[in-house]
Amino acid sequence: MSSAVVIPAAGLGLRLGGETPKAFREVGGDSLLVHAVRGLRAASAADLVCFVVAVPPGSEETVGKELAPYVGAARLLVVAGGAERPASVRAALDVVPVDGIDCILVHDAARAFVPAEVIERVVATVRAGADAVVPVVPVTDTIKVIGPGGAVVDTPDRSTLVAVQTPQGFAPEVLRRAHAAGADAAVTDDAMMCERLGVVVQTVEGSQDAFKVTRPQDLLLAEALLARRSKEQLSARSDKQPGELDGRPGESRGEGQVG
């Protein structure tokens, strides 16, 4: 069996500023969306055979051409997204193949630097029988609950709190059932939609590298992360003997299938 990924990338990302939609902001010469697709492609154990990306209406062809070199032999489908995230996910979900897919990932382009091992953990946990899986990291700040007037009404025990990341993984029929039930303005992710159906959501270890690019300072953090990874790759290559260096599969131009 294989997996598919849905990437909602139609949002404007107003908190990041600028006129370019967030998913298309560049870091290190490539858009966040390209970084996200490349990172998913690196998770070889996830067996991703289909990428479905929801983008601002009218940009489907342009984005398809941009992403095609990075999906390898996987199928690439680019669709028009909606005004809100749930609508974009639904539009993408409608074209995900039904046959041969045992896990559907939903991944935010703004979390463009998720390590491959996190992606593979999510998929493996779905394949082990979980209906819904989210990667998480511990909350390190003290969290306060406030009332309507701004006064603190409670301080939760942070040892029971986690911050949720993406990609989130789902049994295909569970995710489709959750979206068929609809979403209101209070829904912030697909796992929450599943929770409302009584589905148990399992957690796996996430990564600090999977931070969400939301504000301008996050772009600086992303640049620093790329610089660190580039340095690590150069160091690893210098440790190899002559003849051991090999190319990264799936990155030659023209391999993707745009549908």
Side-chain angles (χ1 to χ4, degrees), residues 41 64-65 67-76 248-258:
R41 177 71 180 150
K65 291 178 179 178
L67 296 182
Y70 302 102
V71 300
R75 188 180 184 190
L76 173 64
R248 283 183 284 178
E251 292 200 8
S252 62
R253 295 202 171 263
E255 279 191 343
Q257 304 173 33
V258 182

Side-chain angles (χ1 to χ4, degrees), residues 122 125-126 129-136 169 191 199-205:
V122 171
T125 305
V126 172
D131 285 329
V133 181
V134 295
V136 300
V199 173
V200 175
V201 178
Q202 181 63 47
T203 64
V204 297
E205 181 183 358

Side-chain angles (χ1 to χ4, degrees), residues 11-199:
L12 296 178
L14 298 178
R15 285 175 291 180
L16 190 58
E19 297 180 359
T20 304
K22 179 164 60 175
F24 304 99
R25 292 290 292 271
E26 290 192 355
V27 177
D30 288 314
S31 69
L32 290 173
L33 183 56
V34 165
H35 284 295
V37 168
R38 203 155 43 195
L40 288 158
R41 177 71 180 150
S44 56
D47 300 316
L48 280 164
V49 299
C50 183
F51 289 72
V52 187
V53 186
V55 299
S59 65
E60 296 94 326
E61 183 177 355
T62 300
V63 176
K65 291 178 179 178
E66 179 186 11
L67 296 182
Y70 302 102
V71 300
R75 188 180 184 190
L76 173 64
L77 301 169
V78 184
V79 301
E84 302 294 338
R85 185 181 186 279
S88 291
V89 174
R90 280 196 297 274
L93 192 57
D94 283 345
V95 300
V96 172
V98 174
D99 295 331
I101 302 295
D102 63 353
C103 176
I104 298 178
L105 299 175
V106 180
H107 186 42
D108 293 333
R111 296 188 187 274
F113 308 104
V114 182
E117 57 266 27
V118 173
I119 301 164
E120 292 171 347
R121 269 197 293 272
V122 171
V123 173
T125 305
V126 172
R127 288 180 173 159
D131 285 329
V133 181
V134 295
V136 300
V137 291
V139 170
T140 56
D141 292 329
T142 295
I143 304 298
K144 302 288 186 182
V145 179
I146 62 173
V152 172
V153 297
D154 191 24
T155 303
D157 176 6
R158 71 182 180 192
S159 68
T160 66
L161 301 176
V162 291
V164 177
Q165 303 176 328
T166 69
Q168 299 182 356
F170 305 90
E173 68 278 5
V174 171
L175 184 59
R176 289 190 170 98
R177 183 157 51 92
H179 275 273
D184 56 39
V187 170
T188 56
D189 69 0
D190 298 88
M192 187 175 179
M193 296 173 68
C194 292
E195 291 168 40
R196 292 186 170 188
L197 296 180
V199 173

